[in-house]
Amino acid sequence: MRKFRKITAWIAAALLLLCFWVWWNRPRPIDVATRVPSEALVYAEADDLPQLLENLTTVEPWRAILGRGARRLSWWGRTLAWIGVGRARDVVLARSQVAFVVLDIETDGGGDALNVKPSAALVAETHTSEWRTRSAVEELVGELAHRVYGAPGVERNENEDGLTITWTAPTGHSRLIANVSGSAVVIGNDEQAIQTCIAVRRREHRSLAEETRFDAVRRRFTDRTALAFGYVSPRGATEIAKILALTYAARMSDDPRAQSAAAIILPQLAGKILRDAAWSMRVADGEIEDDYLFALPDELASRIGQAFSPSHEPVHSAERLLPADTYQLTRYNYADPAAAWEGLKSAIASQLDRLIEPLAGRVLDAALKPYGIESPRDFLRAAGSEIATAQILADDQARVLIARVKDEATLRAEVRRHLKTFRRETLGDVELLVSTDDERGAACFVDGYLILGREEDVRQCVRARAAGRTMAADEAFRRAARVAANEQALIATYTRERESMRELAHILGRDELVASSAYAIATTQLTAEGFRRRTRSSLGLLGAVLTQVIPTAP
């Protein structure tokens, strides 16, 4: 009996020591933003990779993307994180907190030829011994470098800042740099970015966590359910907006004068209309929910808010005029579309220098011309509260405009103004007005609505209505519309996910992703801070990023 008690005591002591060791060895979360420079333009963090993986496996397409062992791997990953036992790369990935940061953006060219080169880094706290961290980083980053560069040159350097490994492409123009010091890792494409992050780690440089605005946004924008968080700083918002403005200026109109005016106004506006931006991701009801905030300066948010009053009794009938397989529908819900447009123009003009302020209205009006709207003021006054645009095919950017008719005589005058010379013909019970200029398309008035767009798209809408094969008859769309209707959004966009799944399936070689007929839903509301956009989809922002960053086989 005494021997049994001794054995029991030894076993209990061993178990107690094991529990203490596991507790002592557990990852102790840090604020990874304390390792990121304060001047970061773009920042994104994920504090718990196993939890992120576990939640993704509850979303059907991601279960297929991650494979059958994904759920087991997520559980095993959490176990590894606590115990710290296993292959070096598995333990490091399971225990790491990571952040992606863009520190600078270089641009070259303009318009369609604009080339963008970001200076970026991945910052990680592995909560793992240095020897394991070094082994994992060298293996994982080395594999990536060989996949991207083919046969890169490798250079190793060790000093007081830790081990630095550089993989250089055979051309010498591109490289990947990794620095490991203790359990801290920095991986980037630019030497200066690496050195700045190291300086932050040594507390010789101010960190992003010390920025009051960043801390306030992150506290308000995340909760226990958030799996990832992102932030675009005021300077980052300005730089990105300038790039988008320069690109858009060359595409918004065929009129050279409008393009020149846009090239002057849009870059100036870029630094004044957007304060900063934030993003968070969570999984809810089997879908990925991405939440975005585009914060506006207080005065601008107030002025736009006065103009953008939503209709509290919205009429939703545009889907009855669109083919059932329409790729994307965007619905705008304003109590007074004309007042909203004029209010937007006035608010934006207030942010410009007085010398160029008169150009703002012309630039914004020119942005509506591709939709067949020659005079926004007259057109929007004659339109009802429901205005929608639709993209029929995923691989065709042409759009059709559908507007509820309030003043048919005025709208007919606006249509004639756009079509210029046209012929009349009958399709079923609908009269078509078809321009003699193919670029100006066609129009028709049907069921209290105006349909305006490319001739073949207008015809397709009329035929779908006659046959009863419209979006309104699609159960998947009706489910999505019921979800969006609960939010009283200013703008609601419905996008078929089949096409994005098909693209991702091609990249990953997973044909089973193509089957979905669901719609991704994006709703936009105006709050006291700015525009709040929420998307619900099967792939989420992560899926969109994957399609951009994973190289496609030739």
Side-chain angles (χ1 to χ4, degrees):
M1 179 64 72
R2 187 176 300 172
K3 185 176 181 181
F4 176 76
R5 287 178 179 174
K6 278 188 176 182
I7 294 174
T8 302
W10 278 107
I11 292 175
L15 288 174
L16 185 62
L17 285 173
L18 178 62
C19 291
F20 176 78
W21 177 78
V22 170
W23 175 84
W24 180 259
N25 193 50
R26 77 193 189 285
R28 295 170 178 82
I30 67 164
D31 182 357
V32 73
T34 60
R35 304 279 180 84
V36 171
S38 60
E39 64 268 30
L41 303 182
V42 179
Y43 170 84
E45 67 178 20
D47 279 339
D48 192 333
L49 295 180
Q51 184 184 31
L52 175 63
L53 181 61
E54 183 178 355
N55 277 267
L56 285 177
T57 57
T58 66
V59 182
E60 186 60 40
W62 281 100
R63 189 179 297 117
I65 292 170
L66 296 170
R68 293 180 180 177
R71 185 176 295 276
R72 179 184 58 80
L73 181 60
S74 63
W75 173 86
W76 181 238
R78 194 171 298 281
T79 303
L80 289 174
W82 274 85
I83 299 177
V85 175
R87 286 196 310 169
R89 63 186 291 169
D90 293 339
V91 174
V92 166
L93 288 174
R95 295 170 68 91
S96 289
Q97 293 175 260
V98 298
F100 174 77
V101 58
V102 176
L103 296 178
D104 193 19
I105 301 176
E106 295 181 8
T107 58
D108 178 28
D112 292 337
L114 187 67
N115 297 312
V116 179
K117 182 182 179 183
S119 172
L122 182 75
V123 179
E125 168 53 54
T126 66
H127 302 288
T128 310
S129 61
E130 183 168 3
W131 70 270
R132 274 186 162 175
T133 301
R134 287 188 177 194
S135 173
V137 168
E138 191 162 1
E139 181 181 355
L140 291 168
V141 182
E143 286 178 2
L144 175 63
H146 280 82
R147 188 161 61 247
V148 175
Y149 298 147
V154 182
E155 180 183 346
R156 301 169 64 91
N157 180 40
E158 191 158 5
N159 54 31
E160 66 275 9
D161 293 326
L163 171 66
T164 300
I165 309 175
T166 304
W167 291 265
T168 306
T171 61
H173 297 307
S174 302
R175 58 182 178 170
L176 276 174
I177 307 168
N179 172 269
V180 180
S181 178
S183 60
V185 177
V186 184
I187 303 167
N189 63 348
D190 178 74
E191 178 72 29
Q192 184 59 46
I194 298 290
Q195 291 303 319
T196 305
C197 291
I198 291 174
V200 174
R201 189 172 68 209
R202 292 198 306 245
R203 299 186 179 180
E204 298 173 358
H205 194 102
R206 184 178 174 87
S207 76
L208 182 62
E210 298 174 76
E211 295 297 319
T212 305
R213 172 65 181 172
F214 166 79
D215 184 60
V217 171
R218 182 167 60 169
R219 286 177 184 275
R220 287 200 309 273
F221 214 63
T222 57
D223 56 25
R224 290 183 179 180
T225 64
L227 301 172
F229 168 77
Y231 179 71
V232 180
S233 70
R235 191 167 74 89
T238 298
E239 292 298 318
I240 294 172
K242 283 181 178 178
I243 292 171
L244 295 175
L246 289 171
T247 304
Y248 181 65
R251 300 177 180 177
M252 67 175 294
S253 174
D254 294 330
D255 185 349
R257 290 177 299 178
Q259 290 182 4
S260 298
I264 295 171
I265 291 175
L266 294 180
Q268 186 181 135
L269 274 176
K272 297 182 179 180
I273 63 174
L274 189 60
R275 184 177 182 183
D276 53 18
W279 159 79
S280 65
M281 185 199 85
R282 51 188 51 78
V283 172
D285 300 324
E287 291 184 311
I288 295 178
E289 186 176 286
D290 292 298
D291 209 357
Y292 305 86
L293 170 66
F294 301 96
L296 305 176
D298 293 339
E299 181 184 350
L300 182 61
S302 176
R303 295 191 65 161
I304 291 180
Q306 294 172 11
F308 280 31
S309 175
S311 173
H312 296 293
E313 295 182 358
V315 178
H316 294 162
S317 297
E319 58 267 27
R320 299 175 184 174
L321 303 172
L322 288 165
D325 58 352
T326 295
Y327 169 66
Q328 185 180 80
L329 166 65
T330 299
R331 189 174 3 237
Y332 303 88
N333 176 35
Y334 304 120
D336 187 338
W341 185 250
E342 292 302 319
L344 176 64
K345 288 164 63 174
S346 175
I348 288 180
S350 70
Q351 305 298 305
L352 295 169
D353 294 337
R354 289 190 176 184
L355 289 175
I356 62 174
E357 184 180 313
L359 292 176
R362 278 183 261 169
V363 170
L364 288 172
D365 285 347
L368 296 185
K369 283 195 173 182
Y371 296 97
I373 300 177
E374 301 291 335
S375 172
R377 182 179 181 181
D378 295 333
F379 186 97
L380 295 174
R381 282 181 174 180
S385 60
E386 184 184 9
I387 297 176
T389 60
Q391 182 178 335
I392 306 295
L393 301 175
D395 56 356
D396 187 343
Q397 295 298 313
R399 292 185 178 267
V400 60
L401 173 71
I402 300 178
R404 191 167 183 82
V405 176
K406 184 170 69 176
D407 181 347
E408 184 169 339
T410 300
L411 277 183
R412 284 189 177 275
E414 287 300 305
V415 168
R416 289 194 295 269
R417 182 177 177 183
H418 171 67
L419 297 180
K420 294 189 180 299
T421 58
F422 58 90
R423 70 180 187 274
R424 299 173 186 269
E425 64 176 83
T426 300
L427 182 59
D429 61 345
V430 177
E431 181 185 58
L432 296 183
L433 309 177
V434 183
S435 175
T436 56
D437 181 353
D438 291 341
E439 294 295 321
R440 294 184 173 272
C444 71
F445 289 83
V446 56
D447 297 341
Y449 282 83
L450 164 67
I451 305 177
L452 180 62
R454 199 170 52 181
E455 180 185 351
E456 58 195 88
D457 291 337
V458 174
R459 289 182 181 276
Q460 196 170 349
C461 290
V462 173
R463 293 192 186 102
R465 168 188 168 270
R469 292 193 294 268
T470 65
M471 292 183 74
D474 183 1
E475 180 57 32
F477 174 78
R478 290 203 298 268
R479 284 197 303 269
R482 285 194 294 268
V483 172
N486 294 329
E487 297 195 12
Q488 288 285 312
L490 284 173
I491 305 171
T493 299
Y494 310 87
T495 306
R496 276 197 181 275
E497 293 199 278
R498 182 173 55 229
E499 301 303 328
S500 54
M501 287 188 186
R502 181 177 289 119
E503 182 179 1
L504 193 56
H506 174 68
I507 292 173
L508 299 175
R510 299 284 182 84
D511 293 338
E512 62 269 26
L513 296 180
V514 182
S516 176
S517 61
Y519 282 86
I521 310 166
T523 56
T524 303
Q525 296 175 314
L526 185 60
T527 68
E529 282 192 284
F531 288 102
R532 193 79 176 254
R533 180 178 174 88
R534 178 174 296 168
T535 67
R536 297 178 183 82
S537 62
S538 298
L539 295 178
L541 180 62
L542 285 180
V545 170
L546 277 179
T547 61
Q548 298 299 316
V549 302
I550 299 178
T552 305

